PDB file of all heavy atoms in Angstrom:
ATOM      1  N   ASP A  90      -0.736   2.135   6.783  1.00 98.00           N
ATOM      2  CA  ASP A  90      -0.002   1.989   8.049  1.00 98.00           C
ATOM      3  C   ASP A  90      -0.254   0.640   8.709  1.00 98.00           C
ATOM      4  O   ASP A  90       0.620   0.102   9.404  1.00 98.00           O
ATOM      5  CB  ASP A  90      -0.400   3.109   9.017  1.00 98.00           C
ATOM      6  CG  ASP A  90       0.176   4.465   8.625  1.00 98.00           C
ATOM      7  OD1 ASP A  90       1.110   4.493   7.790  1.00 98.00           O
ATOM      8  OD2 ASP A  90      -0.324   5.487   9.126  1.00 98.00           O
ATOM      9  N   THR A  91      -1.441   0.075   8.497  1.00 98.00           N
ATOM     10  CA  THR A  91      -1.767  -1.223   9.080  1.00 98.00           C
ATOM     11  C   THR A  91      -0.806  -2.303   8.595  1.00 98.00           C
ATOM     12  O   THR A  91      -0.521  -3.270   9.317  1.00 98.00           O
ATOM     13  CB  THR A  91      -3.222  -1.608   8.717  1.00 98.00           C
ATOM     14  OG1 THR A  91      -4.104  -0.682   9.340  1.00 98.00           O
ATOM     15  CG2 THR A  91      -3.559  -3.025   9.172  1.00 98.00           C
ATOM     16  N   PHE A  92      -0.299  -2.128   7.384  1.00 98.00           N
ATOM     17  CA  PHE A  92       0.528  -3.164   6.779  1.00 98.00           C
ATOM     18  C   PHE A  92       2.008  -2.782   6.703  1.00 98.00           C
ATOM     19  O   PHE A  92       2.772  -3.395   5.944  1.00 98.00           O
ATOM     20  CB  PHE A  92      -0.027  -3.505   5.393  1.00 98.00           C
ATOM     21  CG  PHE A  92      -1.462  -3.962   5.432  1.00 98.00           C
ATOM     22  CD1 PHE A  92      -2.484  -3.094   5.057  1.00 98.00           C
ATOM     23  CD2 PHE A  92      -1.779  -5.227   5.892  1.00 98.00           C
ATOM     24  CE1 PHE A  92      -3.807  -3.503   5.109  1.00 98.00           C
ATOM     25  CE2 PHE A  92      -3.105  -5.644   5.955  1.00 98.00           C
ATOM     26  CZ  PHE A  92      -4.123  -4.782   5.564  1.00 98.00           C
ATOM     27  N   ARG A  93       2.419  -1.803   7.508  1.00 97.00           N
ATOM     28  CA  ARG A  93       3.840  -1.449   7.530  1.00 97.00           C
ATOM     29  C   ARG A  93       4.673  -2.574   8.155  1.00 97.00           C
ATOM     30  O   ARG A  93       5.758  -2.901   7.654  1.00 97.00           O
ATOM     31  CB  ARG A  93       4.048  -0.142   8.295  1.00 97.00           C
ATOM     32  CG  ARG A  93       3.607   1.092   7.529  1.00 97.00           C
ATOM     33  CD  ARG A  93       3.948   2.375   8.262  1.00 97.00           C
ATOM     34  NE  ARG A  93       3.492   3.557   7.538  1.00 97.00           N
ATOM     35  CZ  ARG A  93       4.186   4.170   6.572  1.00 97.00           C
ATOM     36  NH1 ARG A  93       5.385   3.701   6.236  1.00 97.00           N
ATOM     37  NH2 ARG A  93       3.701   5.222   5.961  1.00 97.00           N
ATOM     38  N   GLU A  94       4.203  -3.147   9.240  1.00 97.00           N
ATOM     39  CA  GLU A  94       4.925  -4.218   9.919  1.00 97.00           C
ATOM     40  C   GLU A  94       4.187  -5.543   9.862  1.00 97.00           C
ATOM     41  O   GLU A  94       4.655  -6.539  10.409  1.00 97.00           O
ATOM     42  CB  GLU A  94       5.175  -3.823  11.388  1.00 97.00           C
ATOM     43  CG  GLU A  94       5.980  -2.549  11.570  1.00 97.00           C
ATOM     44  CD  GLU A  94       7.402  -2.682  11.015  1.00 97.00           C
ATOM     45  OE1 GLU A  94       7.934  -3.813  11.029  1.00 97.00           O
ATOM     46  OE2 GLU A  94       7.966  -1.665  10.571  1.00 97.00           O
ATOM     47  N   ARG A  95       3.030  -5.541   9.250  1.00 97.00           N
ATOM     48  CA  ARG A  95       2.186  -6.728   9.140  1.00 97.00           C
ATOM     49  C   ARG A  95       2.009  -7.041   7.655  1.00 97.00           C
ATOM     50  O   ARG A  95       1.578  -6.181   6.886  1.00 97.00           O
ATOM     51  CB  ARG A  95       0.838  -6.436   9.795  1.00 97.00           C
ATOM     52  CG  ARG A  95      -0.234  -7.483   9.607  1.00 97.00           C
ATOM     53  CD  ARG A  95      -1.548  -6.934  10.155  1.00 97.00           C
ATOM     54  NE  ARG A  95      -2.659  -7.858   9.986  1.00 97.00           N
ATOM     55  CZ  ARG A  95      -3.925  -7.558  10.276  1.00 97.00           C
ATOM     56  NH1 ARG A  95      -4.224  -6.349  10.748  1.00 97.00           N
ATOM     57  NH2 ARG A  95      -4.884  -8.453  10.108  1.00 97.00           N
ATOM     58  N   ALA A  96       2.344  -8.249   7.256  1.00 98.00           N
ATOM     59  CA  ALA A  96       2.274  -8.600   5.842  1.00 98.00           C
ATOM     60  C   ALA A  96       0.832  -8.566   5.340  1.00 98.00           C
ATOM     61  O   ALA A  96      -0.087  -9.054   6.012  1.00 98.00           O
ATOM     62  CB  ALA A  96       2.869  -9.977   5.613  1.00 98.00           C
ATOM     63  N   TYR A  97       0.663  -8.001   4.171  1.00 98.00           N
ATOM     64  CA  TYR A  97      -0.645  -8.054   3.534  1.00 98.00           C
ATOM     65  C   TYR A  97      -0.781  -9.416   2.857  1.00 98.00           C
ATOM     66  O   TYR A  97       0.030  -9.762   1.985  1.00 98.00           O
ATOM     67  CB  TYR A  97      -0.812  -6.934   2.503  1.00 98.00           C
ATOM     68  CG  TYR A  97      -2.119  -7.051   1.736  1.00 98.00           C
ATOM     69  CD1 TYR A  97      -3.331  -6.915   2.400  1.00 98.00           C
ATOM     70  CD2 TYR A  97      -2.136  -7.349   0.375  1.00 98.00           C
ATOM     71  CE1 TYR A  97      -4.531  -7.050   1.717  1.00 98.00           C
ATOM     72  CE2 TYR A  97      -3.326  -7.477  -0.322  1.00 98.00           C
ATOM     73  CZ  TYR A  97      -4.522  -7.339   0.363  1.00 98.00           C
ATOM     74  OH  TYR A  97      -5.708  -7.488  -0.312  1.00 98.00           O
ATOM     75  N   PRO A  98      -1.806 -10.207   3.210  1.00 97.00           N
ATOM     76  CA  PRO A  98      -1.912 -11.574   2.689  1.00 97.00           C
ATOM     77  C   PRO A  98      -2.634 -11.650   1.356  1.00 97.00           C
ATOM     78  O   PRO A  98      -3.697 -12.260   1.222  1.00 97.00           O
ATOM     79  CB  PRO A  98      -2.710 -12.287   3.793  1.00 97.00           C
ATOM     80  CG  PRO A  98      -3.623 -11.217   4.315  1.00 97.00           C
ATOM     81  CD  PRO A  98      -2.835  -9.931   4.236  1.00 97.00           C
ATOM     82  N   GLY A  99      -2.067 -11.049   0.338  1.00 96.00           N
ATOM     83  CA  GLY A  99      -2.683 -11.073  -0.983  1.00 96.00           C
ATOM     84  C   GLY A  99      -1.686 -10.652  -2.042  1.00 96.00           C
ATOM     85  O   GLY A  99      -0.781  -9.848  -1.777  1.00 96.00           O
ATOM     86  N   GLY A 100      -1.859 -11.186  -3.233  1.00 96.00           N
ATOM     87  CA  GLY A 100      -0.969 -10.818  -4.333  1.00 96.00           C
ATOM     88  C   GLY A 100      -1.362 -11.512  -5.612  1.00 96.00           C
ATOM     89  O   GLY A 100      -2.148 -12.464  -5.608  1.00 96.00           O
ATOM     90  N   LEU A 101      -0.796 -11.045  -6.718  1.00 97.00           N
ATOM     91  CA  LEU A 101      -1.118 -11.564  -8.039  1.00 97.00           C
ATOM     92  C   LEU A 101       0.168 -11.636  -8.857  1.00 97.00           C
ATOM     93  O   LEU A 101       1.000 -10.725  -8.801  1.00 97.00           O
ATOM     94  CB  LEU A 101      -2.120 -10.647  -8.747  1.00 97.00           C
ATOM     95  CG  LEU A 101      -3.456 -10.448  -8.020  1.00 97.00           C
ATOM     96  CD1 LEU A 101      -4.067  -9.108  -8.399  1.00 97.00           C
ATOM     97  CD2 LEU A 101      -4.398 -11.574  -8.371  1.00 97.00           C
ATOM     98  N   THR A 102       0.331 -12.700  -9.611  1.00 98.00           N
ATOM     99  CA  THR A 102       1.541 -12.858 -10.415  1.00 98.00           C
ATOM    100  C   THR A 102       1.778 -11.658 -11.322  1.00 98.00           C
ATOM    101  O   THR A 102       2.914 -11.220 -11.517  1.00 98.00           O
ATOM    102  CB  THR A 102       1.442 -14.130 -11.268  1.00 98.00           C
ATOM    103  OG1 THR A 102       1.334 -15.255 -10.406  1.00 98.00           O
ATOM    104  CG2 THR A 102       2.665 -14.290 -12.175  1.00 98.00           C
ATOM    105  N   TYR A 103       0.686 -11.114 -11.879  1.00 98.00           N
ATOM    106  CA  TYR A 103       0.826 -10.044 -12.866  1.00 98.00           C
ATOM    107  C   TYR A 103       0.510  -8.667 -12.301  1.00 98.00           C
ATOM    108  O   TYR A 103       0.217  -7.742 -13.051  1.00 98.00           O
ATOM    109  CB  TYR A 103      -0.065 -10.354 -14.074  1.00 98.00           C
ATOM    110  CG  TYR A 103       0.258 -11.689 -14.688  1.00 98.00           C
ATOM    111  CD1 TYR A 103      -0.688 -12.709 -14.717  1.00 98.00           C
ATOM    112  CD2 TYR A 103       1.532 -11.940 -15.201  1.00 98.00           C
ATOM    113  CE1 TYR A 103      -0.377 -13.945 -15.253  1.00 98.00           C
ATOM    114  CE2 TYR A 103       1.846 -13.166 -15.744  1.00 98.00           C
ATOM    115  CZ  TYR A 103       0.895 -14.174 -15.768  1.00 98.00           C
ATOM    116  OH  TYR A 103       1.210 -15.399 -16.305  1.00 98.00           O
ATOM    117  N   SER A 104       0.560  -8.526 -10.988  1.00 98.00           N
ATOM    118  CA  SER A 104       0.309  -7.228 -10.361  1.00 98.00           C
ATOM    119  C   SER A 104       1.316  -6.200 -10.855  1.00 98.00           C
ATOM    120  O   SER A 104       2.531  -6.382 -10.718  1.00 98.00           O
ATOM    121  CB  SER A 104       0.413  -7.373  -8.837  1.00 98.00           C
ATOM    122  OG  SER A 104       0.277  -6.138  -8.203  1.00 98.00           O
ATOM    123  N   GLY A 105       0.815  -5.127 -11.443  1.00 98.00           N
ATOM    124  CA  GLY A 105       1.701  -4.090 -11.960  1.00 98.00           C
ATOM    125  C   GLY A 105       2.506  -4.554 -13.159  1.00 98.00           C
ATOM    126  O   GLY A 105       3.691  -4.201 -13.293  1.00 98.00           O
ATOM    127  N   HIS A 106       1.873  -5.319 -14.044  1.00 98.00           N
ATOM    128  CA  HIS A 106       2.570  -5.827 -15.229  1.00 98.00           C
ATOM    129  C   HIS A 106       3.166  -4.669 -16.024  1.00 98.00           C
ATOM    130  O   HIS A 106       2.497  -3.669 -16.283  1.00 98.00           O
ATOM    131  CB  HIS A 106       1.579  -6.605 -16.103  1.00 98.00           C
ATOM    132  CG  HIS A 106       2.232  -7.431 -17.149  1.00 98.00           C
ATOM    133  ND1 HIS A 106       2.781  -6.884 -18.294  1.00 98.00           N
ATOM    134  CD2 HIS A 106       2.436  -8.770 -17.236  1.00 98.00           C
ATOM    135  CE1 HIS A 106       3.291  -7.843 -19.036  1.00 98.00           C
ATOM    136  NE2 HIS A 106       3.100  -9.002 -18.423  1.00 98.00           N
ATOM    137  N   PRO A 107       4.442  -4.773 -16.413  1.00 98.00           N
ATOM    138  CA  PRO A 107       5.099  -3.643 -17.083  1.00 98.00           C
ATOM    139  C   PRO A 107       4.379  -3.153 -18.337  1.00 98.00           C
ATOM    140  O   PRO A 107       4.312  -1.943 -18.577  1.00 98.00           O
ATOM    141  CB  PRO A 107       6.488  -4.189 -17.411  1.00 98.00           C
ATOM    142  CG  PRO A 107       6.745  -5.219 -16.373  1.00 98.00           C
ATOM    143  CD  PRO A 107       5.406  -5.855 -16.113  1.00 98.00           C
ATOM    144  N   LEU A 108       3.862  -4.055 -19.154  1.00 98.00           N
ATOM    145  CA  LEU A 108       3.171  -3.603 -20.359  1.00 98.00           C
ATOM    146  C   LEU A 108       1.913  -2.816 -20.011  1.00 98.00           C
ATOM    147  O   LEU A 108       1.607  -1.800 -20.631  1.00 98.00           O
ATOM    148  CB  LEU A 108       2.818  -4.794 -21.251  1.00 98.00           C
ATOM    149  CG  LEU A 108       3.968  -5.615 -21.820  1.00 98.00           C
ATOM    150  CD1 LEU A 108       3.430  -6.717 -22.728  1.00 98.00           C
ATOM    151  CD2 LEU A 108       4.941  -4.738 -22.592  1.00 98.00           C
ATOM    152  N   ALA A 109       1.189  -3.290 -19.008  1.00 98.00           N
ATOM    153  CA  ALA A 109      -0.024  -2.591 -18.584  1.00 98.00           C
ATOM    154  C   ALA A 109       0.303  -1.244 -17.961  1.00 98.00           C
ATOM    155  O   ALA A 109      -0.391  -0.247 -18.207  1.00 98.00           O
ATOM    156  CB  ALA A 109      -0.801  -3.462 -17.601  1.00 98.00           C
ATOM    157  N   CYS A 110       1.343  -1.201 -17.157  1.00 98.00           N
ATOM    158  CA  CYS A 110       1.710   0.055 -16.503  1.00 98.00           C
ATOM    159  C   CYS A 110       2.261   1.064 -17.504  1.00 98.00           C
ATOM    160  O   CYS A 110       2.016   2.271 -17.376  1.00 98.00           O
ATOM    161  CB  CYS A 110       2.719  -0.209 -15.387  1.00 98.00           C
ATOM    162  SG  CYS A 110       1.985  -0.994 -13.932  1.00 98.00           S
ATOM    163  N   ALA A 111       3.010   0.585 -18.487  1.00 98.00           N
ATOM    164  CA  ALA A 111       3.493   1.498 -19.536  1.00 98.00           C
ATOM    165  C   ALA A 111       2.312   2.115 -20.265  1.00 98.00           C
ATOM    166  O   ALA A 111       2.308   3.311 -20.592  1.00 98.00           O
ATOM    167  CB  ALA A 111       4.388   0.746 -20.512  1.00 98.00           C
ATOM    168  N   ALA A 112       1.278   1.299 -20.525  1.00 98.00           N
ATOM    169  CA  ALA A 112       0.069   1.830 -21.168  1.00 98.00           C
ATOM    170  C   ALA A 112      -0.624   2.841 -20.274  1.00 98.00           C
ATOM    171  O   ALA A 112      -1.150   3.849 -20.756  1.00 98.00           O
ATOM    172  CB  ALA A 112      -0.873   0.678 -21.508  1.00 98.00           C
ATOM    173  N   ALA A 113      -0.634   2.595 -18.958  1.00 98.00           N
ATOM    174  CA  ALA A 113      -1.264   3.530 -18.032  1.00 98.00           C
ATOM    175  C   ALA A 113      -0.521   4.862 -17.984  1.00 98.00           C
ATOM    176  O   ALA A 113      -1.142   5.938 -17.981  1.00 98.00           O
ATOM    177  CB  ALA A 113      -1.336   2.917 -16.629  1.00 98.00           C
TER     178      ALA A 113
END
């Protein structure tokens, strides 16, 4: 809820990579 209207200042190019998520 803290980040519903406030941007979360973090991220990664490969966050949730499709190959990794398919394996998961």
Side-chain angles (χ1 to χ4, degrees):
D90 287 344
T91 295
F92 302 103
R93 286 185 181 274
E94 301 296 330
R95 172 188 178 186
Y97 175 65
L101 301 153
T102 298
Y103 303 117
S104 176
H106 194 285
L108 297 182
C110 287

